[in-house]
Amino acid sequence: MALRLLCKDPESPNNGSPTLYYDDSSGTYLFQSWKVLDTARLAGIVVPEHETVIEFPERLLALFPQPGSRREGERCRCGGASAESGRSGPGEP
């Protein structure tokens, strides 16, 4: 698996998440963010056992890179982390 860091929340207090990655091997995105545990908020959503629901601040939508717009070695628009940075730990909402 070849994960590429695409975007981190520049306003994260510990710069850990939300974070968006792209997997070159599978052609899929991985999103690290805050897990939703509030049963009242989840009541109207059917979530299979093998899935979860995450949330992220609206401000991040504008920072998501468009598919095919990134080149290897470019710096992220949101936070300036290198595309080759490693995965970081979970963040706090």
Side-chain angles (χ1 to χ4, degrees), residues 17-40:
S17 91
T19 305
L20 179 66
Y21 297 91
Y22 181 73
D23 185 334
D24 288 322
S25 300
S26 66
T28 59
Y29 293 88
L30 287 78
F31 197 80
Q32 172 189 343
S33 195
W34 313 307
K35 188 173 183 178
V36 178
L37 299 173
D38 183 343
T39 54

Side-chain angles (χ1 to χ4, degrees), residues 71-92:
R71 293 186 190 146
E72 202 63 37
E74 284 184 9
R75 295 180 73 76
C76 296
R77 291 186 303 159
C78 54
S82 167
E84 296 162 358
S85 295
R87 182 181 170 111
S88 52
E92 297 287 330

Side-chain angles (χ1 to χ4, degrees), residues 42-53:
L42 295 171
I45 304 172
V46 176
V47 183
E49 187 64 32
H50 66 279
E51 296 181 1
T52 192
V53 175

Side-chain angles (χ1 to χ4, degrees), residues 5-6 8 10 12 26 29 39 41 44 54 58 60 68 72 79 91:
L5 172 64
L6 296 181
K8 278 192 173 206
S12 173
S26 66
Y29 293 88
T39 54
R41 292 175 69 198
I54 61 169
E58 183 177 351
L60 288 187
E72 202 63 37

Side-chain angles (χ1 to χ4, degrees), residues 5 9 14-16 20 27 61 67 71 86 91:
L5 172 64
D9 182 357
N14 64 4
N15 201 26
L20 179 66
L61 286 177
R71 293 186 190 146

